[in-house]
Amino acid sequence: MTSSTSATSVVRSKPNIGVFTNPKHALYIAECEPKAENLTPGPGEVIVQVRATGICGSDIHFQQHGQIGPTMVVRDEHILGHESAGEVIAVHPDVKDLEIGDRVALEPGIPCQNCDECLQGRYHGCPDVQFKSTPPVPGLLRRYLNHPARYCHKIGNMSYEDGALLEPICVSLVGVEHANVGLADPVVICGAGPIGVISAACARAAGAEPLVITDIDQGRLDYAKKFVPGLRTVLVDRSDEPQQVADKIIKTAEMRPKICIECTGMEASISAGIYSLAFAGTIHVVGVGKDFQNIPFMHLSANELTMKYQYRYANAWPKAIRLVNGGLIDVSALITHRFPLEESDKAFNQVGKDGAVKVMIVDGEAK
């Protein structure tokens, strides 16, 4: 590859299509930018042909509810998706560390690189971050896109599907780090969705024992138990009060957990995690929930519990790649359903149904 050829436009026979929603909560597939007939990388950019994209809970929130919190609001036609991997098909001449044909995972948050948060390494807190799929920034769920080379992470021979799953792994491993999970720490994970299951796998890799996971769906619990060796499960009845769920957690763990990683964002689940903890324990909330919630404040206070939160991730992608390449997490086992890009509407309809854990949208070769 030479600089003179890497900067030329790339013409693709297939149109560039993306998966959209809008303020009316529609979900549709349509042509999008950049146009396939003239794909040209700008300075510092590459063109990526996206091969695999996982559907995240936030995608469902944006499509079904139109927003997450008071500021992330769908106000126009909007492309979804931020868990993606693909193949580099064009490179700008000033990009020296990527080549055509490289397999890459796409880090979706593009910070300003100039503010105090960025300069201190907390770029996920950048006030001007352009996070792909968070309105109004269009997402990654399309066939072709321009992306800064700096936020394209080489994945070698890793499958595109595994590469797409690096994004939720980043969420989970940062959660485990922030919660300070250590060897033989008793840990409970609330919620057996994809983030909960991956968090359990990360906690196991960090040495958690005993390790418990909760959910309202027995199928998800059974799947989680297959995914994480030695995982203990708690089935939550929708009529259970938080203290009842806490009692189930304590009984299953045979002790009070030191750490709770809460992956649902639901008020009752957060409260259950709090009630289950040992004195001076920590609850780390990863899940996305309502703007305002009631929590057992005096129980937190009287038991000197620490409550922590998480907003995305920073500096996590190289670690996530090492976790997968080192065999500590086999993320491919999480994928329960696959759909081609042209059938993305069916993929979204599958989320949360019939034992679905992670639904993947693929375009061409995903392996």
Side-chain angles (χ1 to χ4, degrees):
M1 184 191 72
T2 65
S3 295
S4 60
T5 59
S6 64
T8 57
S9 298
V10 180
V11 178
R12 292 297 186 192
S13 57
K14 287 187 176 183
N16 194 11
I17 56 175
V19 181
F20 291 79
T21 190
N22 59 28
K24 295 182 179 180
H25 311 294
L27 181 72
Y28 63 96
I29 303 161
E31 288 199 36
C32 63
E33 296 293 336
K35 297 297 184 183
E37 60 268 20
N38 188 25
L39 299 171
T40 305
E45 289 184 340
V46 297
I47 301 290
V48 176
Q49 183 167 357
V50 179
R51 297 295 194 179
T53 301
I55 300 178
C56 174
S58 65
D59 296 317
I60 303 299
H61 272 281
F62 285 133
Q63 191 262 313
Q64 294 185 355
H65 308 295
Q67 68 183 90
I68 296 176
T71 60
M72 305 177 195
V73 182
V74 176
R75 303 187 189 278
D76 204 341
E77 308 307 304
H78 179 63
I79 299 177
L80 297 164
H82 61 270
E83 300 178 3
S84 298
E87 176 188 0
V88 175
I89 61 173
V91 182
H92 191 275
D94 67 3
V95 173
K96 305 303 181 184
D97 58 348
L98 289 175
E99 297 182 352
I100 292 172
D102 281 343
R103 291 170 173 249
V104 294
L106 304 175
E107 184 168 356
I110 314 301
C112 75
Q113 301 176 17
N114 292 313
C115 68
D116 285 347
E117 298 303 334
C118 285
L119 294 175
Q120 293 178 46
R122 299 191 296 262
Y123 61 83
H124 58 306
C126 172
D128 296 316
V129 66
Q130 300 293 296
F131 195 92
K132 301 295 180 71
S133 82
T134 298
V137 184
L140 304 176
L141 191 40
R142 40 186 154 159
R143 179 167 285 138
Y144 311 113
L145 56 85
N146 292 50
H147 204 72
R150 182 171 183 171
Y151 298 102
C152 292
H153 300 275
K154 290 183 184 181
I155 58 174
N157 294 323
M158 187 186 299
S159 74
Y160 293 120
E161 290 183 341
D162 284 4
L165 289 171
L166 290 170
E167 198 277 343
I169 292 176
C170 287
V171 174
S172 299
L173 74 86
V174 167
V176 168
E177 285 184 339
H178 285 188
N180 296 317
V181 176
L183 288 172
D185 282 343
V187 175
V188 59
I189 311 288
C190 293
I195 294 297
V197 174
I198 298 174
S199 294
C202 288
R204 173 63 81 217
E209 178 59 35
L211 181 59
V212 177
I213 193 166
T214 72
D215 205 272
I216 59 173
D217 184 279
Q218 185 62 53
R220 287 201 293 265
L221 291 174
D222 292 341
Y223 201 91
K225 201 168 184 178
K226 292 178 183 178
F227 189 74
V228 182
L231 184 63
R232 308 182 190 189
T233 62
V234 170
L235 179 63
V236 178
D237 191 280
R238 292 181 184 273
S239 64
D240 286 344
E241 293 295 325
Q243 187 63 67
Q244 292 176 289
V245 178
D247 290 342
K248 290 182 179 180
I249 292 169
I250 296 164
K251 182 178 180 181
T252 302
E254 301 179 274
M255 64 182 67
R256 286 186 175 273
K258 175 183 176 181
I259 296 166
C260 172
I261 300 177
E262 210 297 314
C263 299
T264 75
M266 301 297 290
E267 183 177 295
S269 182
I270 294 171
S271 295
I274 290 170
Y275 283 131
S276 75
L277 289 173
F279 188 86
T282 296
I283 178 167
H284 181 77
V285 181
V286 179
V288 174
K290 297 186 301 183
D291 287 0
F292 295 92
Q293 301 197 27
N294 293 312
I295 58 171
F297 171 76
M298 281 310 302
H299 184 88
L300 282 164
S301 178
N303 289 276
E304 291 192 2
L305 301 180
T306 299
M307 193 166 185
K308 304 174 75 172
Y309 311 91
Q310 181 174 336
Y311 186 60
R312 297 172 181 161
Y313 40 71
N315 310 303
W317 290 75
K319 294 179 183 179
I321 291 169
R322 292 197 296 271
L323 275 175
V324 175
N325 284 340
L328 292 171
I329 298 179
D330 178 14
V331 285
S332 60
L334 278 176
I335 303 169
T336 54
H337 297 79
R338 294 175 178 84
F339 294 85
L341 178 62
E342 294 85 354
E343 297 180 11
S344 295
D345 53 341
K346 295 180 181 179
F348 272 76
N349 288 333
Q350 184 63 56
V351 175
K353 299 176 182 176
D354 301 326
V357 177
K358 175 56 73 173
V359 178
M360 190 68 62
I361 296 172
V362 299
D363 191 35
E365 178 57 54
K367 295 297 183 182

